[in-house]
Structure formats: structure tokens, C-alpha cells
Amino acid sequence: MKRIVLIVFIGISMLSCSKENPGKFSREALEDVFISSEGNETPFNKILKKHKGKKILIDVWASWCPDCLKSIPEVQHIQEEYKEAAYVFLSLDRNTRDWKNAIMRLKIKGDHYFMQSGWEGKFGKFLDLNWIPRFLVIDENGKIMVFDATKASDKLIRQSLEIM
């Protein structure tokens, strides 16, 4: 009996830890300003508009993050499989120099933005960001399909991109 109670308790605890998918971005998150790789300030809503009509895989990462670096090859495999999707990388690096050097060194293809507001900015707070890497998949109409994946190998990422 103790074993059953323990299993139920662990199951309920695990469910309560997952973040609920809000379905759409808050106004504040959409207004948060990022720095493009060309050095331009870009609100998040313009990043989404740039890719309207496509599915978007968003990777929140940093070059100092070991788990983020381990996930890059998997993301690159996904890019090879789902060429029709757009790929947006949002960096939480400490500075733009390290961020840009990592993009070049790791040959990361996609649209790149620096999260100048950091973990505690409007976008980070919307995500309730406490771990990176963090992956989101947005559908062609801007709906959030995957909200809280922390591994590029999460089956929901491929399943969401599959429906094209």
C-alpha cells in the first residue's frame, strides 16, 4: 500500500512541475526587445511576424551552457529534417561578443537574437524561465504548440513540426 501511495504522490508531483501551455504570448512578451545579429533592436512580435505562415522552432540558449551546447547537433538534425520551418535562436549570453563567436564557431543556422532583458525580462518572465535550453514550437498562425521542452530530443518538437 505504501508503494502505491508513493507512486501516486510522485506522479502528481511530476505533473504539477510542468508548465501549462498558454497557447499565445502575452502582450508584454511580444513587446520585449531583442538585439538582432546585425545590431538592430527588434520587438519579439516582429520576430514572429517575419516568419508568419511557417512553423517556428525557438531555441533559448547560451554559449556558456553545457546542456545548450550538447543540444545543438540535435537541433541541426531537426533543421535538416524540417527545412520548411523557421529557426529562431534567442541567446542569454552575458555579452554580444561571446554570443556572435558561438554562432560562428558552432555554425548555427537560423535567425539569431540577443535577449538583452535576460532571464528577468518580460519574455523570460512569460516563459517562467528557470532552465536552458528551452524550446518552443509556434504554429503558422502564432499559436504556441510546444511551450516547455528542455531537450531538443523531446518528441513533441518533432510531432509539432511534422504536421505541416
Side-chain angles (χ1 to χ4, degrees), residues 120-139:
E120 296 299 319
K122 296 173 188 174
F123 189 80
K125 284 185 179 178
F126 170 76
L127 293 180
D128 192 20
L129 199 56
N130 62 7
W131 186 265
I132 56 173
R134 174 78 172 271
F135 300 94
L136 294 92
V137 177
I138 315 306
D139 77 6

Side-chain angles (χ1 to χ4, degrees), residues 75-132:
V75 172
Q76 290 169 330
H77 288 305
I78 292 170
Q79 287 177 309
E80 290 171 15
E81 272 183 71
Y82 303 97
K83 295 180 191 306
E84 315 83 27
Y87 297 88
V88 174
F89 296 86
L90 306 177
S91 172
L92 281 165
D93 269 288
R94 295 180 181 105
N95 60 65
T96 57
R97 186 190 74 242
D98 292 345
W99 163 56
K100 289 181 179 182
N101 286 341
I103 293 168
M104 298 287 283
R105 185 180 76 249
L106 300 168
K107 298 178 176 131
I108 305 171
K109 294 180 178 142
D111 283 346
H112 298 276
Y113 298 90
F114 182 76
M115 287 180 63
Q116 64 180 352
S117 63
W119 295 77
E120 296 299 319
K122 296 173 188 174
F123 189 80
K125 284 185 179 178
F126 170 76
L127 293 180
D128 192 20
L129 199 56
N130 62 7
W131 186 265
I132 56 173

Side-chain angles (χ1 to χ4, degrees), residues 24-77:
K24 65 180 186 173
F25 291 98
S26 69
R27 183 180 52 78
E28 294 82 10
L30 291 169
E31 293 172 352
D32 202 357
V33 177
F34 295 75
I35 304 295
S36 72
S37 53
E38 295 83 27
N40 302 317
E41 290 193 351
T42 308
F44 185 66
N45 62 358
K46 291 217 171 154
I47 296 169
L48 292 177
K49 281 181 188 173
K50 179 179 179 182
H51 302 291
K52 188 173 177 151
K54 287 185 169 188
K55 291 202 179 173
I56 308 167
L57 174 63
I58 298 174
D59 181 350
V60 181
W61 73 294
S63 67
W64 50 260
C65 164
D67 288 341
C68 299
L69 298 177
K70 287 179 196 169
S71 75
I72 296 295
E74 182 65 25
V75 172
Q76 290 169 330
H77 288 305

